Amino acid sequence: MMEQARNQLIFALDVETLAEAETWVRRLRDRVGVFKVGKQLFTRCGPDAVRMIRDNGGRVFLDLKYHDIPNTVAGACREAGRLGVAMFTLHALGGGAMMAAAASALNEMFSSNPQQRPLALAVTVLTSMNEDSLREIGVSLPPAEIVPRLAALAQKAGMTGVVASPQETPVIRQTCGKDLIIVTPGVRPASAAADDQKRVATPYQAILSGADYLVVGRPISKASDPEAAVGGILEEMARAFADR
Ligand code: C5P
């Protein structure tokens, strides 16, 4: 269970430089299986950030949230595949055709080695959006209805999984079944501060309610003892895997 927890814990490398990122990867790689590269680090360092993690034995979650016309997103997915990332994100709001183009680009590219195919994860509705900000852009359904709808669309279009807050996980599981991978940020051990996360759950609650992977940043990076913080999270995850 501890090995499964390690493989399914993702540390968010929300830092400015490649050197800082590498320090974290070396420090945590024995305890954390996956490192998330987001828009800030990628815009600054580019594919070098991905290569650095791979060279240090880590798997990479490339969180660039692609959202464009199908042909462009398919091309970006192929490049993510070529870089050797383990998982990456795109926006379900790009639509079924965009997601299907992404899936078929990956299927074609990895037809002879499907176990190397990156997990394609759809972001449904950003957790920074609420009913008012959705109405502002012409979307009249509440998040509670759009989220499972977009998750189902993503699944139908061939996405491996979705990114979802702990609160959204149960309804997505209910709608999409057990095969869809759910990656959950907004995770806070009981002892940590919530920071700017509005809807949080403990690692134990998040896994128990159906998450497969957890994304954790500041509860580790800002802890006085980051290794101990990771240890506590892994222990909670392992306990939840055993209990569910
Ligand atoms: O520091 P913290 O644990 O809040 O970091 C969570 C990570 O997950 C950040 O990189 C953040 O951008 C990302 N994320 C999130 N909420 C989402 C999607 C991604 O916090 N809905």
Side-chain angles (χ1 to χ4, degrees):
M1 291 294 174
M2 278 310 253
E3 192 51 26
Q4 183 183 10
R6 178 189 170 274
N7 284 330
Q8 293 178 212
L9 176 60
I10 303 169
F11 177 64
L13 281 171
D14 293 325
V15 296
E16 286 180 9
T17 67
L18 196 59
E20 268 179 280
E22 184 155 24
T23 303
W24 278 114
V25 172
R26 292 196 168 171
R27 193 165 172 186
L28 299 179
R29 63 187 169 189
D30 294 339
R31 296 174 171 86
V32 174
V34 189
F35 293 87
K36 183 169 88 74
V37 174
K39 287 193 166 94
Q40 183 181 2
L41 188 60
F42 195 83
T43 300
R44 173 123 175 200
C45 309
D48 283 349
V50 174
R51 293 188 197 105
M52 175 277 290
I53 295 165
R54 287 175 42 88
D55 289 347
N56 279 291
R59 287 181 294 141
V60 179
F61 176 11
L62 188 63
D63 187 19
L64 298 179
K65 300 188 178 72
Y66 300 136
H67 187 171
D68 212 311
I69 59 171
N71 186 56
T72 300
V73 168
C77 293
R78 273 191 289 270
E79 294 308 327
R82 223 189 299 280
L83 272 179
V85 309
M87 49 179 86
F88 70 93
T89 47
L90 45 67
H91 273 288
L93 285 167
M98 185 200 82
M99 291 189 280
S104 71
L106 292 171
N107 289 343
E108 198 178 304
M109 186 168 183
F110 291 92
S111 59
S112 57
N113 50 345
Q115 68 297 338
Q116 308 276 1
R117 184 191 193 274
L119 309 184
L121 305 170
V123 173
T124 57
V125 178
L126 291 170
T127 47
S128 52
M129 302 288 281
N130 60 20
E131 213 157 335
D132 292 337
S133 42
L134 285 170
R135 202 170 312 110
E136 211 169 42
I137 58 166
V139 177
S140 54
L141 291 178
E145 281 177 52
I146 312 185
V147 167
R149 180 172 169 153
L150 287 173
L153 182 68
Q155 186 176 37
K156 197 168 138 231
M159 299 297 93
T160 333
V162 295
V163 180
S165 80
Q167 283 66 26
E168 297 160 351
T169 304
V171 66
I172 292 174
R173 273 276 164 258
Q174 222 172 8
T175 312
C176 300
K178 63 174 175 35
D179 291 338
L180 192 74
I181 299 283
I182 301 183
V183 176
T184 298
V187 176
R188 293 291 177 268
S191 56
D195 301 306
D196 56 354
Q197 297 283 9
K198 298 214 163 47
R199 289 169 280 159
V200 300
T202 66
Y204 180 81
Q205 291 163 341
I207 297 288
L208 205 65
S209 71
D212 297 294
Y213 289 82
L214 303 186
V215 182
V216 187
R218 288 162 291 179
I220 296 170
S221 63
K222 303 270 187 259
S224 56
D225 183 345
E227 286 84 353
V230 172
I233 293 165
L234 292 177
E235 187 274 323
E236 279 196 54
M237 289 173 76
R239 199 153 41 82
F241 284 131
D243 286 355
R244 81 178 192 188

